[in-house]
Amino acid sequence: MKIFMVPFFASVLFCPSYSSKWITHTACKDDKLEVLYQSCDPLQDFGFSVDHCYNPLSKNLKIRFGTILRYDIKELFLDVDLFIMKKSLYSFSYPVCEVDFPKFSFCGRKKGEKIYYAGDINNPAFPIGKGEYHILLRLYNENNFTIVCANFTVISY
Amino acid sequence: MAFVMASFMCSLLLASLLTPQCVRATSAAQMCTEVVANLTYNCENLGLEEIPESLPATTKFLEFGFNFLPDLQSSTFSRLRDLVYLDLTRCEINWVHEDAFENNDDLSTIVLTGNPLIFMADTAFQGPKALKHLTLTQTGMTSVTFIPMQNLENLETLHLGSNHLSSIQLPSTFSARNLKVLDFELNAIHHITKEDVASLKRATNLSLNLKGNNIQDIEDGAFHSTAFQSLNFGGISDVSTVLKGLQNSITQTLWLGSFHDVDDLDVSPDMLEGLCNTSVEALNIQSRYFSNSVAIFQCFTGLQELDLTETHWNSLPSGIEGMNQLKKLVLNQNAFDDLCQINAASFPNLTHLYVKGNTHKLDFGAGCLGKLENLLHLDLSHSKVVSDTCCNTQLRNLSHLQHLNLSNNEPQTLQGQAFGECPQLEVLDFSFTHLHTDASPSPFQNLHLLQVLNLSNCLVETSNPQLLVGLQGLQHLDLSGNPFQSGILTKDNLLHPVDSIQVLILSSCSLTALEQQAFGSLGKLKYLDLQHNSLTGSGLAALSNLNKTHLNLAANSIHTIPPSLLPVFSQQSIINLSHNPLDCTCSNIHFLTWYKENLHKISDPEETTCGDPPALRGVKLSNVTLSCATSAVGIVFLVLFLLTVIITSIVLGRRYIIRKYENI
């Protein structure tokens, strides 16, 4: 058995960056609501938190977010897909940075820069019904290169 | 016991899953991506600790970001003598030692973004004959004196964003003669003095970026009689600080916009007073709130371009005066209900008007832009534009209009000669706006100068052969996403009137077949896009009319290509057959042979794979070698075989007869 374990440990030890999944983090947690996330970008993890986890979600949530840019973000787009029981329920696309309309102060930052954002996300208030929801979120730039890929799990008790 | 067994099997499985991945990963570490052979290489994210031996000495452009090079020495890049562009983003560089680039004579760009630099030696940048672009973004710099100034006299761009700099003053040892771009984005610059600006005067036509610096004061007269190509003070809380500081300066483009994540003061007319004493050609003031008053515009009278994107207007005040110079007005992302609410008469000399992404339903109105006789370019896309029958009353008097964008709007009904008011139109974009053409079969009549027409996803009547009548100058036509009834492009289709067309896009049109002569009159066609249809090999008869065309047949249902089509393929310039279920059996051998002989014509060969037989599914066509007896050889063998049989039987027969009658 030891013989068989050797390649396993060797592969885990020597190729840590090639493990297929990043650990699951907690963005916020409360008696009624829990938000978990995991990076689905094979290159890197990112940091994210929500200032509180009330249900119903309040308007203009404050978030904190940190990552390293692997590409320039002259233009940045957000795709969001919401799933319940593996069925797609809702999806939308939102331009975050455009050349003629950089909405946020981080628009236009360069490859290699560390980004830290603490502020509002301009969301409307909405209640979350009991259950488990999965949200796939992808931020990508003008060349369709992934800037952030995230799998969110929202559990409402 | 069962548990131990299970965990053993589990780890075995994991080991077998992970080990090959790891092997691939380590071999990948040696492998930079070759973008252009012997010239351009990408070695990003490979965890490299040195320049790989495998890189040719002729490499000119090297992307080496996200590796590990704690100190740069003269030996680090000495082998790559031809380097022109070197990107060392986030390589954990601490030290740039003496003569780090001494052997790189041709180096013109060095990117050092995101490296925790501790020290750069005085001669760090010596060597390159003309270093033009230096990026030191987010390197932890607290003073510009950190940058060694030797050999920077040719510098054209210097990026110093996201550091801890508190002054824009350049050292007196820095000859900024050729400097065109100086970027201080997101630093800690709070004060600007006369002395600071004086240090920039050696540069002419400079673009200075001070976005995201919380500037609290600018010394009076600091910018007196200085000239800039562009100045960016994006996100500044109080615009009057900047405008007072810019007295008697000359700037082509002044960016004073704000952002969603920045708290700023509402702009009142007196905060803009300083603008009256500065010379600015183009002003951007996006995402700010104004008190809705005519007075806001009193110091805008010298402007040629004004960008009021997302400035929360429901209507622009009437009675704005003196805006005769304004050529370009951007009113994107505002909240007008009616196009007349922009009071276009206040801007009589506009050539370019943008009302994109309006947040309310925008009534196209009647003649709202009638006073804009010089208007050349009008963009009303994504604005939920609604209208009665379009577009003559709406576009009244716009006789010089060349470019009209009405894409992504509410459904429109086009009348007969819908663009009679703008006969000079060259580009017309209606994509993703549902068009009804019941009122007239030929709405585009009289647009003789129209070169580009985008009707993608407009759900137009594709069965109407009159639809495109009058467009004899049309060069580019996009009809993607408009389904063709019955799936057949017939020989008397709507394309016949547009015979000067060079680019034709018919992707996602639910086409199953193209009838012979369907493209009969399109002799000038250079690019034909038929992607994402359901065309089969037998439905491509119409292509025989095309010559030297770039043919895109990706993502169709093409299985076999009839041999009669191969000469037709041979006379085209480029062919894309990717994502088709191509047959890789002997029944398609003629095509497979042709494919290998014409690989230079094939676009996207990586995705051109077999769909059949199952054993070859997913295999690249260029890798398939079939040994099918060709029919000619088969016939020769068959004839030889028959001849042998006949001759043998004759010989045997003779012997038999001879033997039989021998005894007589």
Short mmCIF file of all heavy atoms in Angstrom, two decimals, chain B residues 556-575:
data_model
loop_
_atom_site.label_atom_id
_atom_site.label_comp_id
_atom_site.label_asym_id
_atom_site.label_seq_id
_atom_site.Cartn_x
_atom_site.Cartn_y
_atom_site.Cartn_z
N ASN B 556 -21.85 23.63 -39.19
CA ASN B 556 -22.99 23.21 -40.00
C ASN B 556 -23.16 21.71 -39.85
O ASN B 556 -22.64 21.12 -38.90
CB ASN B 556 -22.78 23.64 -41.46
CG ASN B 556 -23.23 25.06 -41.69
OD1 ASN B 556 -24.42 25.34 -41.76
ND2 ASN B 556 -22.28 25.99 -41.77
N SER B 557 -23.91 21.09 -40.77
CA SER B 557 -24.13 19.65 -40.67
C SER B 557 -23.46 18.92 -41.83
O SER B 557 -24.00 17.95 -42.36
CB SER B 557 -25.63 19.35 -40.68
OG SER B 557 -26.26 20.13 -39.71
N ILE B 558 -22.30 19.41 -42.24
CA ILE B 558 -21.64 18.84 -43.41
C ILE B 558 -20.98 17.51 -43.05
O ILE B 558 -20.15 17.44 -42.15
CB ILE B 558 -20.61 19.83 -44.00
CG1 ILE B 558 -21.33 21.12 -44.38
CG2 ILE B 558 -19.89 19.22 -45.19
CD1 ILE B 558 -20.42 22.26 -44.72
N HIS B 559 -21.38 16.48 -43.80
CA HIS B 559 -20.93 15.12 -43.54
C HIS B 559 -19.93 14.72 -44.62
O HIS B 559 -18.75 14.59 -44.38
CB HIS B 559 -22.18 14.23 -43.54
CG HIS B 559 -21.95 12.87 -42.99
ND1 HIS B 559 -21.56 12.66 -41.69
CD2 HIS B 559 -22.07 11.65 -43.56
CE1 HIS B 559 -21.43 11.35 -41.49
NE2 HIS B 559 -21.74 10.72 -42.60
N THR B 560 -20.43 14.61 -45.83
CA THR B 560 -19.53 14.32 -46.96
C THR B 560 -19.56 15.47 -47.94
O THR B 560 -20.57 16.17 -48.08
CB THR B 560 -19.96 13.04 -47.71
OG1 THR B 560 -21.36 13.13 -47.93
CG2 THR B 560 -19.65 11.80 -46.93
N ILE B 561 -18.44 15.65 -48.65
CA ILE B 561 -18.37 16.69 -49.67
C ILE B 561 -18.38 15.99 -51.02
O ILE B 561 -17.48 15.17 -51.29
CB ILE B 561 -17.06 17.50 -49.53
CG1 ILE B 561 -16.86 17.99 -48.10
CG2 ILE B 561 -16.98 18.61 -50.56
CD1 ILE B 561 -17.57 19.23 -47.71
N PRO B 562 -19.36 16.25 -51.86
CA PRO B 562 -19.38 15.59 -53.17
C PRO B 562 -18.15 15.99 -53.98
O PRO B 562 -17.73 17.15 -53.92
CB PRO B 562 -20.66 16.13 -53.82
CG PRO B 562 -21.32 17.01 -52.84
CD PRO B 562 -20.44 17.20 -51.66
N PRO B 563 -17.52 15.05 -54.70
CA PRO B 563 -16.31 15.36 -55.47
C PRO B 563 -16.51 16.54 -56.43
O PRO B 563 -15.57 17.29 -56.68
CB PRO B 563 -16.05 14.06 -56.24
CG PRO B 563 -16.70 13.01 -55.43
CD PRO B 563 -17.88 13.63 -54.77
N SER B 564 -17.74 16.73 -56.91
CA SER B 564 -17.98 17.84 -57.85
C SER B 564 -17.73 19.20 -57.19
O SER B 564 -17.53 20.21 -57.87
CB SER B 564 -19.42 17.77 -58.35
OG SER B 564 -20.30 17.89 -57.25
N LEU B 565 -17.75 19.24 -55.84
CA LEU B 565 -17.59 20.50 -55.14
C LEU B 565 -16.11 20.86 -54.92
O LEU B 565 -15.78 22.00 -54.62
CB LEU B 565 -18.29 20.39 -53.78
CG LEU B 565 -18.91 21.65 -53.20
CD1 LEU B 565 -19.87 22.30 -54.16
CD2 LEU B 565 -19.63 21.31 -51.90
N LEU B 566 -15.23 19.87 -55.11
CA LEU B 566 -13.81 20.11 -54.79
C LEU B 566 -13.17 21.18 -55.68
O LEU B 566 -12.45 22.04 -55.18
CB LEU B 566 -13.02 18.80 -54.82
CG LEU B 566 -13.49 17.81 -53.74
CD1 LEU B 566 -12.70 16.52 -53.83
CD2 LEU B 566 -13.37 18.41 -52.35
N PRO B 567 -13.45 21.18 -57.01
CA PRO B 567 -12.90 22.29 -57.81
C PRO B 567 -13.43 23.65 -57.34
O PRO B 567 -12.73 24.66 -57.39
CB PRO B 567 -13.38 21.99 -59.23
CG PRO B 567 -13.95 20.62 -59.21
CD PRO B 567 -14.16 20.19 -57.81
N VAL B 568 -14.67 23.65 -56.84
CA VAL B 568 -15.27 24.90 -56.33
C VAL B 568 -14.52 25.37 -55.08
O VAL B 568 -14.16 26.54 -54.95
CB VAL B 568 -16.77 24.70 -56.01
CG1 VAL B 568 -17.36 25.94 -55.40
CG2 VAL B 568 -17.53 24.27 -57.25
N PHE B 569 -14.22 24.42 -54.19
CA PHE B 569 -13.44 24.75 -53.00
C PHE B 569 -12.06 25.25 -53.40
O PHE B 569 -11.53 26.18 -52.81
CB PHE B 569 -13.29 23.51 -52.10
CG PHE B 569 -14.45 23.29 -51.17
CD1 PHE B 569 -15.65 23.96 -51.33
CD2 PHE B 569 -14.34 22.39 -50.11
CE1 PHE B 569 -16.71 23.76 -50.47
CE2 PHE B 569 -15.40 22.19 -49.23
CZ PHE B 569 -16.58 22.87 -49.42
N SER B 570 -11.48 24.61 -54.42
CA SER B 570 -10.12 24.97 -54.84
C SER B 570 -10.02 26.41 -55.33
O SER B 570 -8.96 27.02 -55.21
CB SER B 570 -9.64 24.03 -55.94
OG SER B 570 -9.46 22.74 -55.42
N GLN B 571 -11.11 26.93 -55.85
CA GLN B 571 -11.02 28.29 -56.39
C GLN B 571 -11.31 29.37 -55.33
O GLN B 571 -11.32 30.56 -55.64
CB GLN B 571 -11.93 28.45 -57.62
CG GLN B 571 -13.40 28.48 -57.31
CD GLN B 571 -14.26 28.24 -58.56
OE1 GLN B 571 -13.81 27.63 -59.51
NE2 GLN B 571 -15.49 28.74 -58.53
N GLN B 572 -11.51 28.98 -54.06
CA GLN B 572 -11.74 29.98 -53.00
C GLN B 572 -10.42 30.29 -52.29
O GLN B 572 -9.46 29.53 -52.38
CB GLN B 572 -12.77 29.46 -52.00
CG GLN B 572 -14.04 28.89 -52.61
CD GLN B 572 -14.74 29.82 -53.58
OE1 GLN B 572 -14.63 31.04 -53.45
NE2 GLN B 572 -15.44 29.28 -54.56
N SER B 573 -10.40 31.40 -51.54
CA SER B 573 -9.14 31.78 -50.88
C SER B 573 -8.95 31.05 -49.55
O SER B 573 -7.90 30.49 -49.29
CB SER B 573 -9.08 33.29 -50.69
OG SER B 573 -10.16 33.73 -49.90
N ILE B 574 -9.97 31.07 -48.69
CA ILE B 574 -9.87 30.41 -47.38
C ILE B 574 -11.19 29.70 -47.10
O ILE B 574 -12.26 30.21 -47.45
CB ILE B 574 -9.61 31.45 -46.25
CG1 ILE B 574 -8.27 32.15 -46.48
CG2 ILE B 574 -9.61 30.78 -44.87
CD1 ILE B 574 -8.02 33.31 -45.54
N ILE B 575 -11.09 28.53 -46.47
CA ILE B 575 -12.32 27.79 -46.13
C ILE B 575 -12.24 27.35 -44.67
O ILE B 575 -11.23 26.82 -44.23
CB ILE B 575 -12.50 26.55 -47.04
CG1 ILE B 575 -12.67 27.02 -48.48
CG2 ILE B 575 -13.72 25.74 -46.62
CD1 ILE B 575 -12.78 25.92 -49.47
#
